[in-house]
Amino acid sequence: MSQFADVFLGFIDQWGYLAVAVLMGLENACIPIPSELILGFAGYLIYIDRMTFFMATVAGMIGGMVGSILTYYVGHLGGRPFVDKYGKYFFMKKSHVDIAQEWFDKYGVKAVFFSRMLPVVRTFISLPAGFAHVDIKKFIFYTFVGSLPWTMLILGIGMMLGEGWKVMMEVGHEISIAFCAILVLVAAVTYYKYSKRKKAKKEV
């Protein structure tokens, strides 16, 4: 898909928010269009005042949610056999589905949240959630709260980098891992402080 990068950028340049929503929908439907390309360029357009951060976030989230829900139902209705047989026609690599399945098997529905910030898994996790017939309300909730910080982060970095936004195409995976590590650290510190306060109250 990298050879179509200029086509995607031209689409966003011409159609703005609509293009961001459509491309993010395709990306979350497991079509290999890097979100760093879509949101990074949108961040650059924010930098030059052709978009606003709020509307770009809304467009990215709408597209991402629609794509994720459609992919969930592909897994829900078709199951793994259908995806293994026909997924290749829609750029779905079996190895990527396997990775997402391993994450889901290990962490359950919570993987839908955490994986939204990791390369490859973030788009394919919708399939095993569908295979397992996860409650759609839970799926939508975890998808939203996982996708929102990632969307805002990439838009923000693209905006801050300005003319140099394409750097993200080279370090996108590292950004994902670093962001996820920071979230885990924040969660651990928060849990530690909560446990400490709870213990202190019991001792009073």
Side-chain angles (χ1 to χ4, degrees):
M1 279 287 174
S2 58
Q3 63 267 34
F4 297 110
D6 289 339
V7 175
F8 298 144
L9 295 180
F11 182 40
I12 298 171
D13 189 47
Q14 183 173 358
W15 293 96
Y17 302 118
L18 175 62
V20 170
V22 170
L23 292 176
M24 286 300 292
L26 291 174
E27 192 246 358
N28 280 275
C30 302
I31 305 299
I33 307 171
S35 56
E36 293 88 351
L37 176 74
I38 305 164
L39 299 176
F41 183 57
Y44 166 68
L45 293 180
I46 296 169
Y47 169 76
I48 60 173
D49 293 325
R50 287 188 52 196
M51 281 188 178
T52 67
F53 185 82
F54 175 76
M55 287 303 300
T57 301
V58 170
M61 286 300 296
I62 289 174
M65 292 301 297
V66 170
S68 296
I69 292 169
L70 287 175
T71 306
Y72 165 88
Y73 276 112
V74 168
H76 182 82
L77 300 174
R80 183 65 192 259
F82 175 84
V83 172
D84 284 345
K85 186 174 182 180
Y86 298 106
K88 59 186 177 182
Y89 299 111
F90 300 94
F91 307 101
M92 295 180 184
K93 291 185 178 180
K94 185 178 181 298
S95 60
H96 291 171
V97 180
D98 289 339
I99 294 170
Q101 187 67 63
E102 288 174 11
W103 266 79
F104 188 85
D105 290 343
K106 189 173 183 179
Y107 300 106
V109 68
K110 291 180 182 177
V112 176
F113 166 72
F114 287 109
S115 64
R116 294 296 172 184
M117 291 157 264
L118 291 172
V120 178
V121 191
R122 66 172 161 258
T123 53
F124 283 85
I125 196 65
S126 300
L127 290 171
F131 299 155
H133 294 188
V134 166
D135 179 75
I136 186 62
K137 291 179 183 177
K138 284 186 177 180
F139 174 78
I140 290 173
F141 172 76
Y142 281 116
T143 296
F144 183 85
V145 297
S147 299
L148 183 59
W150 170 255
T151 300
M152 295 176 71
L153 174 72
I154 300 303
L155 281 172
I157 293 175
M159 183 173 61
M160 288 187 290
L161 290 174
E163 299 285 347
W165 71 271
K166 288 186 179 180
V167 169
M168 276 194 296
M169 299 302 297
E170 301 172 9
V171 297
H173 288 190
E174 287 78 4
I175 291 172
S176 298
I177 294 168
F179 186 50
C180 201
I182 291 169
L183 284 180
V184 170
L185 180 62
V186 169
V189 170
T190 302
Y191 178 76
Y192 172 76
K193 288 183 176 180
Y194 170 77
S195 299
K196 196 173 181 181
R197 281 199 305 268
K198 193 174 181 181
K199 186 178 179 180
K201 286 182 180 179
K202 285 183 179 180
E203 292 176 350
V204 173

